[in-house]
Amino acid sequence: MYSRVYVEITNICNMQCSFCHGHSRKPRRMTAEEFSHILSELSSETSYIYYHLMGEPLTHPDLPLFLQMAHNRGFRSVITTNGTLLDKRKTELLSLPIYKINLSVHSFEEGRDEAFFRYLSEISDFADAASSQGTIVVFRLWNRGFDEGRNEAILSFLQERFLGDWAENTRGVRIRDKLHIEWGERFDWPDCEADEGDEEIFCYALRDHFGILSDGSVVPCCLDSDGRLFLGNIFDTPLSGILSSSRAEAIREGFARRCAVEDLCRRCGYARRF
């Protein structure tokens, strides 16, 4: 069983964040029929579905339907969002079975003005309500070295907004039950134009996770934004065959030897964390 599978229900986003690699694929939203097929294929592969690779999941009009479908089939849903649409979709999201929501607060990089603090207020109101009813909520600040003091303003705002333990741990801060802050370094996305990294590279791709793009393309990891490491299409090939293909096996066995057999993997800044 994989610990999680990334399912890109849409590659459309409402922002252009400086840290995001972006993609060159045609804009696309997954249909309910396609998502249902994916759920059937994943039934023996994982219990956790993450609703992104590229794209902002809250831009998909059928997100509530997808969340309910996944819940009905026994999956736990994890959403990563920039949070800008939470206020608009707050009521429907709070009525749905969501296991965890990651709020990429570092998406709002430009502001210290009124719009910035309105954004913080809106996502905090949602986080308060969602965590109070049992959904894990994480404020993500994956921008160390690039925040230019914004993180201090965010932290100060959250400290005034939330009472709690505020207990530090290895990943960040536990504010209270179900409510957390997570720190992270900004990283370089895999890019064929980037310099190659060290000879030894390890990655958890195809070991504990893989991704499915909005057109059904199966890829080894959540950072393959253009589907360059195409393993097969889940809409026309059984997933079991895709995951056991010669290319997938070579990638998996290579990482077991701390060796990246694919050129893109050798140019991945995130993999250097391991």
Side-chain angles (χ1 to χ4, degrees):
M1 291 281 284
Y2 292 87
S3 66
R4 62 197 180 280
V5 175
Y6 295 89
V7 180
E8 181 190 75
I9 61 173
T10 179
N11 62 15
I12 300 168
C13 190
N14 64 327
M15 295 186 72
Q16 292 182 320
C17 300
S18 62
F19 63 84
C20 182
H21 185 274
H23 66 88
S24 60
R25 293 175 284 131
K26 181 179 179 180
R28 193 181 194 279
R29 291 191 178 104
M30 196 175 284
T31 69
E33 291 76 17
E34 290 170 340
F35 187 69
S36 178
H37 175 74
I38 287 173
L39 293 180
S40 296
E41 290 288 295
L42 292 180
S43 61
S44 61
E45 301 293 346
T46 191
S47 297
Y48 292 84
I49 295 177
Y50 283 55
Y51 288 70
H52 75 285
L53 275 86
M54 292 285 102
E56 166 55 55
L58 269 63
T59 65
H60 201 305
D62 289 334
L63 176 61
L65 173 62
F66 289 3
L67 291 167
Q68 193 61 58
M69 290 167 61
H71 176 74
N72 292 345
R73 299 201 194 184
F75 293 99
R76 289 183 169 182
S77 293
V78 179
I79 294 175
T80 297
T81 173
N82 59 45
T84 57
L85 299 176
L86 278 175
D87 193 57
K88 180 180 179 180
R89 307 199 72 171
K90 177 179 178 179
T91 301
E92 60 181 341
L93 287 174
L94 290 175
S95 69
L96 293 164
I98 305 173
Y99 176 72
K100 182 180 180 181
I101 297 181
N102 297 312
L103 303 176
S104 297
V105 188
H106 52 277
S107 298
F108 212 114
E109 289 190 321
E110 301 305 322
R112 286 194 184 90
D113 57 10
E114 182 178 345
F116 174 60
F117 287 104
R118 183 168 62 249
Y119 163 78
L120 289 180
S121 180
E122 290 174 354
I123 65 172
S124 295
D125 288 347
F126 178 85
D128 189 18
S131 60
S132 294
Q133 66 182 35
T135 297
I136 300 170
V137 181
V138 178
F139 294 103
R140 276 186 175 176
L141 292 169
W142 285 14
N143 59 350
R144 278 181 170 168
F146 290 85
D147 70 288
E148 298 181 357
R150 284 182 293 270
N151 287 357
E152 292 182 10
I154 293 169
L155 189 60
S156 178
F157 181 94
L158 295 178
Q159 287 173 329
E160 291 183 11
R161 176 64 176 79
F162 294 105
L163 296 176
D165 302 330
W166 285 87
E168 295 187 12
N169 53 50
T170 55
R171 303 193 67 176
V173 176
R174 178 187 180 276
I175 299 175
R176 69 183 194 209
D177 186 40
K178 307 293 185 181
L179 188 60
H180 306 263
I181 297 173
E182 184 177 282
W183 309 109
E185 305 293 335
R186 187 164 175 172
F187 60 88
D188 294 324
W189 289 64
D191 191 321
C192 287
E193 301 301 319
D195 294 332
E196 286 195 22
D198 299 332
E199 288 187 11
E200 289 193 2
I201 295 180
F202 177 78
C203 182
Y204 290 98
L206 292 174
R207 180 182 294 265
D208 69 1
H209 70 275
F210 61 90
I212 303 173
L213 301 179
S214 56
D215 67 352
S217 297
V218 178
V219 293
C221 79
C222 64
L223 298 179
D224 188 1
S225 60
D226 277 316
R228 293 182 180 275
L229 303 184
F230 176 78
L231 301 176
N233 193 295
I234 197 171
F235 297 146
D236 56 39
T237 304
L239 182 60
S240 58
I242 294 174
L243 296 176
S244 61
S245 66
S246 58
R247 189 176 196 182
E249 290 291 349
I251 293 171
R252 189 182 293 113
E253 292 173 3
F255 285 135
R257 304 191 310 271
R258 304 192 71 84
C259 172
V261 299
E262 296 282 353
D263 182 67
L264 186 67
C265 300
R266 291 192 291 271
R267 303 172 189 272
C268 177
Y270 190 82
R272 294 167 194 163
R273 291 184 170 192
F274 308 114

